[in-house]
Amino acid sequence: MGSLKKCIGILMLIMLCSSFVACGGKSDETNVDTTPNATTNATVDTQKKSATLYVDFSYGSENPTPQQKQTYNMDYSGELTPQMLCDGLSKLTGLDFTAKVTKEKKGIWVEWEEKSSLITGLDDRTLKKEFTFSDEDSMRWFMMDSLWQTLIENFGLDIYYTQTNGETLVLKGLKPVHTFEKDTAYKGSTYYFTNVKKAEATNPAKTSVPELEKTEVPTPKETEAVKSKESSGFTQQQAFDYLADLVSPELKKGMALMQDYEDNINGEHCWTFILGENTPDHFVGEKHFAVSENGKVYLMEIVSGEYQLYEPD
């Protein structure tokens, strides 16, 4: 009898231990489904944060007023991205800062899309009162400056502007410059406007009619005669001299001619130039010319942004 009780006691002890092991296994399986880390991460992702948007109306000014540079707060959650800032500026201003943005260690590349306001220009939409522009130039410089400063201040990286497929950004008709190389960081409108003024100061032939007359600029016929003997085509300086002679009546009235960049027009390599006037603040371009290596002269139509063969009056 004593042995039987002893056996029953041992059997009950074995059953009790088995029950504890089964309960322990079920508890471990439940913990895998919901972990404390998952709950903590979800809380961080939804936490409200604030970034700063910068709007810049300086339009090339060397001494912008506080009213020309303003800041706005933008609420967001999760990790801040350059795309969020583009979207924030769109919502704030009513303009389309539509772009594909790529952030890398050495910089941020902004590929402006064809449907962005920077590319399409002003349309018939009703803009917010504080973000109304009278011309496309001021709007485009505003967009580039505002996004540039916003990205730099929030990420501290160089900003590179491109257009479709990462090509060099060309905004035809934009003054005083319209080309922004894809491998050169954008530097803000003040830099470009100031650079133009410095270029004028170091090249009197662009701004001084007396100096221009002293250089003995060849007439178009003389230039063509020289061209017929040369197979290499115009250099940039020869193209400048040739165009200066064509527009000499306007130069004598006080306007200035400045060298711009290069362009490909109708399959021809051309040098581009801007005819305009100096103001106390900056150079204001009025006509955009291009001269091909074989002596053809083109004038840009401001509305279409296309170059047409130029026929002097």
Side-chain angles (χ1 to χ4, degrees), residues 105-109 148 151-152 155-160 185-186:
K105 289 184 178 180
K106 63 178 182 179
I108 298 175
W109 275 259
W148 169 66
L151 292 176
I152 280 185
F155 292 102
L157 296 171
D158 285 337
I159 312 303
Y160 298 83
Y186 182 78

Side-chain angles (χ1 to χ4, degrees), residues 6 22 39 61 69 73 113 154 174 177 233 242 258 283 305:
K6 187 175 182 179
T39 303
S61 173
K69 293 200 173 194
N73 291 329
E113 296 186 11
N154 283 279
L174 183 66
V177 297
Y242 181 55
M258 62 163 286
F283 175 83

Side-chain angles (χ1 to χ4, degrees), residues 279-307:
T279 69
D281 292 328
H282 52 258
F283 175 83
V284 179
E286 295 186 7
K287 295 182 180 180
H288 292 252
F289 289 94
V291 181
S292 71
E293 291 183 350
N294 63 11
K296 289 184 180 178
V297 179
Y298 298 91
L299 175 65
M300 179 189 290
E301 289 187 352
I302 299 301
V303 177
S304 66
E306 300 295 326
Y307 281 98

Side-chain angles (χ1 to χ4, degrees), residues 190-202:
T190 298
Y191 168 84
Y192 299 102
F193 280 77
T194 302
N195 239 24
V196 168
K197 293 175 71 174
K198 287 181 179 179
E200 296 163 11
T202 57

Side-chain angles (χ1 to χ4, degrees), residues 51-56 69-74 80-90 92-93 97 108 110 142-159 161 186:
T52 303
L53 299 176
Y54 293 79
V55 295
D56 189 336
K69 293 200 173 194
Q70 303 171 20
T71 59
Y72 294 80
N73 291 329
M74 181 191 80
L80 181 65
T81 66
Q83 196 68 58
M84 287 180 182
L85 297 173
C86 285
D87 296 341
L89 285 171
S90 295
L92 172 67
T93 65
F97 284 77
I108 298 175
V110 179
F142 166 82
M143 292 186 69
M144 291 193 291
D145 283 351
S146 296
L147 182 56
W148 169 66
Q149 190 171 359
T150 296
L151 292 176
I152 280 185
E153 295 294 340
N154 283 279
F155 292 102
L157 296 171
D158 285 337
I159 312 303
Y161 284 156
Y186 182 78

Side-chain angles (χ1 to χ4, degrees), residues 40-313:
T40 301
N41 288 340
T43 301
V44 172
D45 287 343
T46 57
Q47 183 180 354
K48 291 294 183 182
K49 306 172 188 176
S50 180
T52 303
L53 299 176
Y54 293 79
V55 295
D56 189 336
F57 295 91
S58 59
Y59 190 26
S61 173
E62 295 182 30
N63 299 296
T65 65
Q67 290 74 27
Q68 291 176 311
K69 293 200 173 194
Q70 303 171 20
T71 59
Y72 294 80
N73 291 329
M74 181 191 80
D75 293 330
Y76 72 97
S77 60
E79 181 181 355
L80 181 65
T81 66
Q83 196 68 58
M84 287 180 182
L85 297 173
C86 285
D87 296 341
L89 285 171
S90 295
K91 185 176 181 180
L92 172 67
T93 65
L95 297 168
D96 295 326
F97 284 77
T98 315
K100 297 176 183 176
V101 188
T102 305
K103 179 175 173 286
E104 297 182 3
K105 289 184 178 180
K106 63 178 182 179
I108 298 175
W109 275 259
V110 179
E111 182 181 318
W112 292 95
E113 296 186 11
E114 293 296 323
K115 59 184 178 181
S116 69
S117 298
L118 184 74
I119 304 299
T120 62
L122 290 171
D123 52 27
D124 58 359
R125 78 179 69 188
T126 301
L127 295 172
K128 296 181 179 179
K129 183 179 180 180
E130 60 269 40
F131 299 107
T132 301
F133 304 90
S134 59
D135 59 85
E136 289 190 351
D137 276 15
S138 58
M139 181 202 72
R140 284 172 164 166
W141 285 116
F142 166 82
M143 292 186 69
M144 291 193 291
D145 283 351
S146 296
L147 182 56
W148 169 66
Q149 190 171 359
T150 296
L151 292 176
I152 280 185
E153 295 294 340
N154 283 279
F155 292 102
L157 296 171
D158 285 337
I159 312 303
Y160 298 83
Y161 284 156
T162 67
Q163 58 188 66
T164 307
N165 299 321
E167 294 300 318
T168 292
L169 177 63
V170 179
L171 301 172
K172 291 187 175 181
L174 183 66
K175 307 164 188 175
V177 297
H178 58 72
T179 302
F180 304 88
E181 298 296 335
K182 59 184 178 181
D183 297 322
T184 302
Y186 182 78
K187 298 179 177 66
S189 63
T190 298
Y191 168 84
Y192 299 102
F193 280 77
T194 302
N195 239 24
V196 168
K197 293 175 71 174
K198 287 181 179 179
E200 296 163 11
T202 57
N203 192 336
K206 296 177 185 177
T207 57
S208 172
V209 174
E211 289 294 325
L212 185 61
E213 292 172 345
K214 291 177 183 177
T215 60
E216 298 181 359
V217 177
T219 66
K221 289 184 179 180
E222 291 173 335
T223 306
E224 286 296 339
V226 173
K227 275 290 293 125
S228 65
K229 297 178 182 179
E230 298 180 354
S231 58
S232 59
F234 272 150
T235 64
Q236 186 178 34
Q237 186 59 49
Q238 288 172 326
F240 176 85
D241 292 340
Y242 181 55
L243 180 60
D245 183 75
L246 291 178
V247 299
S248 59
E250 291 170 282
L251 294 177
K252 290 176 180 178
K253 293 178 181 178
M255 298 192 75
L257 183 65
M258 62 163 286
Q259 296 176 355
D260 191 18
Y261 293 98
E262 302 174 52
D263 205 344
N264 189 289
I265 301 171
N266 296 333
E268 298 180 284
H269 173 261
C270 297
W271 306 104
T272 58
F273 306 91
I274 303 175
L275 180 69
E277 62 178 320
N278 292 310
T279 69
D281 292 328
H282 52 258
F283 175 83
V284 179
E286 295 186 7
K287 295 182 180 180
H288 292 252
F289 289 94
V291 181
S292 71
E293 291 183 350
N294 63 11
K296 289 184 180 178
V297 179
Y298 298 91
L299 175 65
M300 179 189 290
E301 289 187 352
I302 299 301
V303 177
S304 66
E306 300 295 326
Y307 281 98
Q308 303 295 333
L309 202 60
Y310 174 64
E311 297 181 0
D313 295 335

